[in-house]
Amino acid sequence: MGIPEKIKAIEDEIHKTQINKATEHHIGLLKAKIARLKKDMEGDIHGKTISSKSRSGGYNVRKAGDGTVVLIGLPSVGKSTLLNRLTNANSKVGSYRFTTLTVVPGMMEYRGARIQILDMPGIIEGAASGRGLGKRVLSVARSADLVLLVLDVFQPQHIDLLKRELSVIGIKVDQKPPDILIEKTETGGISVNSLVKSRLSESLAKDILRVYGVHNCRLTVREPELTDDQLIDMLAGNRVYVPSIVALNKIDLVDNTLLMQIRRKIGNNFIPISADGNKNIESVRDAIFQKLDFIRVFLKPKGQDADLEEPLIVRSECTVSDVCTKIRRTMTTDFKYAQVWGDSVKFGAQKVGLDHRLADGDIVSITKKN
Ligand SMILES: Nc1nc2c(ncn2[C@@H]2O[C@H](COP(=O)(O)OP(=O)(O)O)[C@@H](O)[C@H]2O)c(=O)[nH]1
Ligand SMILES: [Mg+2]
């Protein structure tokens, strides 16, 4: 029996089994086996799709700029129109479905940052399970720093569908990784150290670990709501956690009453826009910049004024060491000390080392060893 047949057989067994307290363990174990088989089958094609070497035609997009955003939405919601508004790209816009058949990249320049935006073919329901173009396209989304979910004003409820489809291929939108730690040990079997009362039973946790060939380890659980699925996800090791922004497009077609109804349905967490009417596009740009958590760092060459025109754009958790590497790969090796002016230090010209964490607007001057 090949792997797909094995998966099918286990799936059938799950469908046949009634879900209740008594079968919980059995089903959890079956899910772990399926995830393991899928992993074996796919190797690690995930994450490699965006590679200059891969031969997947239009799906092959090289990462560029200071961050990457993907547009995700159903066909004809206005993704290509929005891409063209946000960037210098020229993605084909059409009133029929599937105008965009390959991934179209564009570059958005905003407050000194260069942000790559990828227009994807619209995803269709069931795409993640292998229908149509869906699966390969969605896997490009795995390398994104941010997903921009685009909704049609008449179909706001599709937000759940989009998140579900992304979840199936391992892209967890606006979620935190579960707080668990697996430390492999040489011997001693599996010990479970639950720091909280967890939903997942100890015996099922152990059985799931064994499915993944882990027979000796310390499992520390700090996650009260830990589920079998989360443990399986972690062991399968192919999950990414990505933040999102939601844009509700085509608001030129509706009035405020309908917008109010939509807010009651899906909450306040979206930006109402008209891509075609060029409305609220600046808010989208700004939200992207904020969500990617960039900061600006100004460089001051020794004995000269700081360059306040062209900041370095770096992610917010950035240290002096990251700045050095961004200027020149080998710069950390000749590094002696840096002086910083701004919010990350107590006083101006404070001397700091490579580990010092910078803040937005800081001025940095680096002194090299002679
Ligand atoms: N009324 C209106 N139509 C829009 C808007 N944005 C896009 N469209 C139209 O919606 C159709 C699909 O747009 P497109 O960008 O190709 O959608 P995609 O399939 O998601 O890339 C085209 O006819 C666009 O002109 C908008 O803000 N308002
Ligand atoms: Mg399109």
Side-chain angles (χ1 to χ4, degrees):
M1 194 159 38
I3 294 182
E5 291 77 30
K6 280 188 196 157
I7 292 175
K8 179 79 178 47
I10 301 175
E11 276 171 352
D12 288 347
E13 191 177 341
I14 291 180
H15 285 307
K16 275 199 313 243
T17 311
Q18 286 237 354
I19 300 176
N20 56 45
K21 257 286 151 279
T23 57
E24 213 172 67
H25 187 109
H26 182 58
I27 288 179
L29 198 53
L30 293 176
K31 284 193 291 192
K33 285 182 180 161
I34 289 179
R36 173 73 205 260
L37 287 167
K38 284 189 174 164
K39 190 177 164 179
D40 292 349
M41 188 165 68
E42 295 181 5
D44 58 353
I45 57 163
H46 285 318
K48 284 193 180 161
T49 315
I50 285 203
S51 141
S52 50
K53 290 192 198 87
S54 85
R55 273 176 282 127
S56 47
Y59 301 102
N60 151 13
V61 178
R62 186 195 283 276
K63 267 189 106 152
D66 302 307
T68 299
V69 181
V70 293
L71 296 177
I72 299 284
L74 274 86
S76 300
V77 296
K79 297 179 298 301
S80 299
T81 313
L82 180 58
L83 177 83
N84 296 344
R85 287 282 179 219
L86 291 171
T87 72
N88 53 3
N90 192 5
S91 188
K92 210 167 147 203
V93 170
S95 47
Y96 50 95
R97 296 170 124 226
F98 305 118
T99 321
T100 314
L101 293 173
T102 57
V103 177
V104 180
M107 196 59 86
M108 172 177 111
E109 313 237 343
Y110 188 75
R111 294 173 65 181
R114 296 177 68 249
I115 299 165
Q116 184 183 43
I117 304 195
L118 305 176
D119 180 17
M120 309 285 223
I123 71 172
I124 48 173
E125 200 165 355
S129 350
R131 264 177 58 186
L133 295 165
K135 197 166 183 177
R136 277 156 80 205
V137 169
L138 286 178
S139 70
V140 172
R142 293 178 59 86
S143 70
D145 301 305
L146 175 68
V147 298
L148 177 48
L149 302 170
V150 188
L151 299 173
D152 185 295
V153 75
F154 293 116
Q155 292 168 325
Q157 76 284 3
H158 278 157
I159 183 156
D160 295 329
L161 168 86
L162 298 179
K163 289 190 177 178
R164 214 163 47 234
E165 290 289 313
L166 290 172
S167 176
V168 172
I169 58 148
I171 301 173
K172 306 289 170 183
V173 175
D174 298 326
Q175 290 180 28
K176 270 205 271 176
D179 197 354
I180 49 182
L181 181 68
I182 301 168
E183 296 163 286
K184 298 215 172 137
T185 50
E186 289 294 312
T187 53
I190 300 171
S191 66
V192 180
N193 178 17
S194 261
L195 304 178
V196 288
K197 199 170 155 24
S198 159
R199 274 207 335 219
L200 178 65
S201 79
E202 201 174 304
S203 66
L204 179 52
K206 287 182 176 174
D207 277 350
I208 290 174
L209 283 159
R210 289 189 196 105
V211 169
Y212 278 84
V214 181
H215 297 280
N216 297 293
C217 80
R218 248 188 324 273
L219 170 68
T220 309
V221 180
R222 291 189 216 87
E223 186 74 52
E225 294 296 306
L226 181 70
T227 62
D228 49 2
D229 290 317
Q230 282 178 312
L231 180 61
I232 295 168
D233 280 357
M234 173 137 176
L235 288 163
N238 52 10
R239 298 300 181 265
V240 291
Y241 295 84
V242 192
S244 77
I245 293 173
V246 180
L248 183 73
N249 191 30
K250 309 194 186 182
I251 55 156
D252 52 295
L253 300 178
V254 301
D255 58 13
N256 270 330
T257 325
L258 195 88
L259 271 184
M260 298 276 280
Q261 283 173 18
I262 293 173
R263 284 186 205 283
R264 273 198 293 276
K265 214 184 283 171
I266 66 165
N268 249 328
N269 228 344
F270 63 84
I271 308 172
I273 64 164
S274 171
D276 210 30
N278 207 358
K279 206 169 157 203
N280 250 349
I281 304 300
E282 275 310 291
S283 310
V284 178
R285 282 182 212 272
D286 198 58
I288 290 172
F289 185 87
Q290 299 297 337
K291 203 75 178 196
L292 283 175
D293 229 3
F294 289 124
I295 59 170
R296 292 156 306 157
V297 171
F298 300 94
L299 295 178
K300 176 177 149 36
K302 250 191 124 48
Q304 295 174 38
D305 288 339
D307 176 2
L308 297 178
E309 294 292 310
E310 282 203 33
L312 273 188
I313 298 293
V314 287
R315 302 301 287 272
S316 67
E317 62 277 9
C318 153
T319 61
V320 171
S321 170
D322 296 325
V323 165
C324 287
T325 314
K326 188 146 187 174
I327 301 169
R328 190 156 39 77
R329 198 174 276 283
T330 56
M331 192 138 181
T332 48
T333 29
D334 344 313
F335 176 89
K336 194 167 169 199
Y337 63 86
Q339 284 172 290
V340 177
W341 292 257
D343 287 349
S344 76
V345 287
K346 294 205 185 74
F347 52 88
Q350 189 174 322
K351 278 192 187 178
V352 299
L354 283 172
D355 291 340
H356 180 76
R357 207 171 253 215
L358 295 161
D360 185 37
D362 276 359
I363 296 173
V364 180
S365 180
I366 292 161
T367 300
K368 292 188 278 186
K369 292 182 209 146
N370 328 325

